Amino acid sequence: MTHWLITPIVIPGVLAALIVLAARFHLRLQRVFSLAGSLVGLAIAAGLFWQTSDGTILLYQLGDWQAPFGIVLVGDRLSTLMVLLSALIAPLILLYAIGTGWDTRGRHFHALFQFQMMGIMGAFLTGDAFNLFVFFEVLLIASYGLMLHSGGTERYRAGLQYMLYNLLGSTLFLFALGTLYAETGTLNMADLAARLATPGIEHTAGLRVASVLLLLVFAVKAAVLPLHFWLPSSYAEAPGPVAALFAIMTKIGAYGIIRFYTLVFPPDLTVTQGLFDTWLLPASLVTLAVGMIGVLGTRRLDRAVAFSVVGSMGMLLASVAVFTPEGLAAALYYAVHSTFATAALFLIVDLVRDRRGAHGPKLEAAPTFPGGALLAGLFFVSAIAMTGLPPLSGFLGKLMVLEAATADPLVWWVWAAVLGSSLIAVVGFSRAGSTVFWKSHEVNAAHAATVDEPEDEQGADEPHDPPAREPALPMVAIGGFIALLVAMTVLSGPLMRYIEDTTAQLFDPAPYISTVLETPGKTIEYHGDSHGQDDAHEGAHVSAEDAATKTQKESH
């Protein structure tokens, strides 16, 4: 049992408490603790990623209680990839918040930030369905505070909508877990998978209800149409660094779908028939189309980026819904890419909103502003990445999605939606960028001050006078995200090999189950369900003893 696996959760939790109790009146100490903790977390996440890269599955048993009776944390290729992704964006967002002074515009920014990182890391590492709900609530409670950071009427209104939708999702999650426990008597994901794979088990209507409710819960988190209404306003009105952090939040919904429906509810089960090809794939394609049409139709730059998040989640989940190793591999690559591109765009939008004075993020001509040329260049590169134009990683991700869709009966619908929405997104971002950065006109300060702006439209964020010296940290943070996009493009070969190995591990869950349940010498087999369907995965008859030898570096 490795104790390193719990540190990505413990470090931000301890730091958040320390900041609240000991450094609440010392902003410099808060910044030092928060940034240092994020860098340490990044180093640990990189170590866990490296440790699982050869197929090792790491296990941590809280209180040394064996599953399914105790709570376990599990680190495989998928979970450590998502942990590393979260750890990569955290220090860059903190640098931006410190450089722009966002952490001074409200109370407890750094403590809430660390609590949210604790919830995110826990959601990716937990091996128990109920504790996934617990970590969801931890990150959501922290996100409510961050969403309302610095206040304002519009922000409070969007925050209320955000809270209501997520509370609805949490309620559905509890119903799903209660139904699942009533039918199986366990909520440990590995134990659930082992029980549902037992030959002759009766797949009841209750299990069907639980599988549908769980898909709805994750669809709410991933903003799948028609459950996406909360996202555009919430992300557009959130503080810039908070919106950038929220780029990983929708990926948790996608992670939940991938984890549950490869491990607990594999697609060969009767209870999951039709969930992906009949429901998820069409809903994802409509989400993709609506999101990109929103980019073209909106009159605000921040909402354009928010709608692009909706569209990118449609793209990602369309690839997931194909539910082949190639489809999941394309989805994971695109998830990493879209997180970096979305975070960069939200930070750029925040600087534009801050520097355009009363015009804010409106798509209208305005006076030139300091640093406009540099921001225009950064926006251009980030928009290329988000729309999937070559040569950046978004283009490679879309090619992978299109290739994966060739095995699906709805291939032409997928191709039409992906290519058509890409064209719409290009037009939408071109219009937004040209309006904000090029259609500027010179007006005097007196005229600019008379621009009619509805009271408190942007919340409590008041325009600031141009600084005498441009702060470097915000540009460093945005440049860091763009550098990560370039690195993804250059290293796409090794990254895709890792992701392909990840999907192979997902479609062969026997080593995961045997490691968590510690069943050496016992053969775990995956049979067709009671209707006599064939095995879902080739080579699913795996000896747990061989799996344990292959996947464990340390004795359990």
Side-chain angles (χ1 to χ4, degrees):
M1 182 170 70
T2 174
H3 292 271
W4 285 107
L5 197 59
I6 198 173
T7 51
I9 303 171
V10 170
I11 289 175
V14 171
L15 279 175
L18 181 64
I19 289 171
V20 170
L21 297 175
R24 61 189 306 175
F25 301 114
H26 304 280
L27 181 60
R28 289 187 179 180
L29 281 179
Q30 293 182 33
R31 289 174 170 177
V32 169
F33 287 154
S34 190
L35 188 56
S38 295
L39 292 174
V40 171
L42 175 58
I44 294 173
L48 294 174
F49 177 84
W50 177 262
Q51 198 170 1
T52 59
S53 61
D54 62 351
T56 298
I57 297 177
L58 304 174
L59 177 68
Y60 182 82
Q61 300 168 330
L62 276 75
D64 207 21
W65 281 83
Q66 183 178 345
F69 307 105
I71 298 170
V72 295
L73 302 177
V74 188
D76 62 353
R77 283 191 177 101
L78 175 61
S79 57
T80 55
L81 172 65
M82 300 307 292
V83 165
L84 179 60
L85 175 61
S86 306
L88 279 170
I89 69 172
L92 293 176
I93 294 171
L94 283 173
L95 285 177
Y96 181 90
I98 293 170
T100 56
W102 258 112
D103 58 345
T104 65
R105 302 188 196 182
R107 302 184 64 183
H108 307 305
F109 175 87
H110 290 283
L112 291 169
F113 186 95
Q114 294 300 325
F115 272 128
Q116 182 158 3
M117 290 303 301
M118 174 187 173
I120 291 171
M121 297 299 190
F124 289 137
L125 290 173
T126 185
D128 184 89
F130 183 78
N131 283 280
L132 178 61
F133 167 78
V134 171
F135 283 119
F136 265 24
E137 292 310 297
V138 171
L139 68 90
L140 286 174
I141 290 171
S143 72
Y144 299 154
L146 289 173
M147 173 72 203
L148 302 178
H149 183 74
S150 88
T153 302
E154 291 298 322
R155 187 163 295 148
Y156 281 133
R157 185 180 293 116
L160 179 62
Q161 185 183 45
Y162 172 78
M163 291 169 62
L164 289 176
Y165 266 91
N166 281 282
L167 286 174
L168 172 63
S170 298
T171 304
L172 290 177
F173 205 169
L174 275 180
F175 288 161
L177 294 179
T179 305
L180 200 57
Y181 187 79
E183 294 292 333
T184 63
T186 183
L187 288 176
N188 180 278
M189 288 189 277
D191 196 34
L192 280 169
R195 295 191 185 196
L196 293 179
T198 303
I201 186 173
E202 182 182 1
H203 296 304
T204 64
L207 289 175
R208 175 72 173 182
V209 170
S211 65
V212 172
L213 284 177
L214 282 171
L215 188 61
L216 282 175
V217 169
F218 297 133
V220 170
K221 308 298 182 186
V224 178
L225 189 138
L227 305 173
H228 72 293
F229 295 105
W230 61 272
L231 192 148
S233 295
S234 301
Y235 280 39
E237 297 297 338
V242 175
L245 181 60
F246 283 4
I248 196 66
M249 297 273 281
T250 49
K251 308 307 183 296
I252 297 176
Y255 170 85
I257 292 175
I258 294 172
R259 175 65 74 193
F260 265 86
Y261 294 91
T262 56
L263 178 62
V264 179
F265 295 113
D268 67 311
L269 295 177
T270 300
V271 296
T272 57
Q273 294 304 302
L275 285 183
F276 293 94
D277 52 355
T278 305
W279 296 106
L280 184 60
L281 183 55
S284 300
L285 295 179
V286 176
T287 302
L288 170 60
V290 169
M292 295 313 178
I293 291 172
V295 174
L296 181 62
T298 186
R299 297 183 178 181
R300 293 168 61 97
L301 187 60
D302 49 5
R303 291 184 67 87
V305 177
F307 272 110
S308 73
V309 175
V310 176
S312 70
M313 287 308 300
M315 176 86 68
L316 193 161
L317 291 178
S319 188
V320 170
V322 174
F323 229 87
T324 61
E326 296 77 16
L328 290 189
L332 291 176
Y333 183 89
Y334 192 81
V336 177
H337 150 81
S338 62
T339 300
F340 295 149
T342 300
L345 282 170
F346 274 123
L347 297 186
I348 292 169
V349 168
D350 186 64
L351 287 181
V352 170
R353 179 167 50 193
D354 195 54
R355 296 181 182 185
R356 290 184 86 216
H359 296 276
K362 291 180 178 179
L363 298 183
E364 60 186 17
T368 56
F369 55 91
L374 178 57
L375 282 178
L378 294 174
F379 178 84
F380 178 71
V381 174
S382 301
I384 284 178
M386 196 66 184
T387 55
L389 293 177
L392 293 179
S393 52
F395 177 69
L396 300 177
K398 288 191 176 182
L399 283 181
M400 295 172 194
V401 172
L402 293 175
E403 183 178 2
T406 56
D408 194 89
L410 296 178
V411 54
W412 296 115
W413 288 99
V414 176
W415 277 57
V418 171
L419 297 178
S421 64
S422 298
L423 176 61
I424 293 173
V426 169
V427 175
F429 274 111
S430 299
R431 182 195 66 144
S434 61
T435 301
V436 171
F437 297 106
W438 293 344
K439 292 183 180 179
S440 301
H441 56 79
E442 296 294 340
V443 295
N444 57 45
H447 177 71
T450 62
V451 175
D452 185 22
E453 178 76 9
E455 186 179 355
D456 204 19
E457 180 171 347
Q458 291 302 315
D461 306 335
E462 298 179 357
H464 296 271
D465 293 330
R469 182 178 180 181
E470 292 294 325
L473 287 182
M475 296 303 177
V476 170
I478 297 170
F481 283 116
I482 292 177
L484 288 170
L485 289 170
V486 173
M488 275 194 69
T489 308
V490 174
L491 302 175
S492 58
L495 179 57
M496 274 308 298
R497 284 193 291 272
Y498 178 90
I499 290 177
E500 288 168 355
D501 291 339
T502 300
T503 57
Q505 189 178 61
L506 289 171
F507 278 92
D508 180 20
Y512 182 104
I513 298 170
S514 62
T515 300
V516 174
L517 299 181
E518 295 189 325
T519 53
K522 180 180 178 182
T523 299
I524 300 174
E525 298 182 348
Y526 290 83
H527 300 271
D529 58 24
S530 57
H531 291 254
Q533 293 188 358
D534 295 332
D535 295 343
H537 314 304
E538 235 178 276
H541 298 269
V542 180
S543 166
E545 185 176 9
D546 296 338
T549 302
K550 175 184 176 182
T551 60
Q552 297 181 23
K553 287 185 175 179
E554 303 180 40
S555 61
H556 297 275

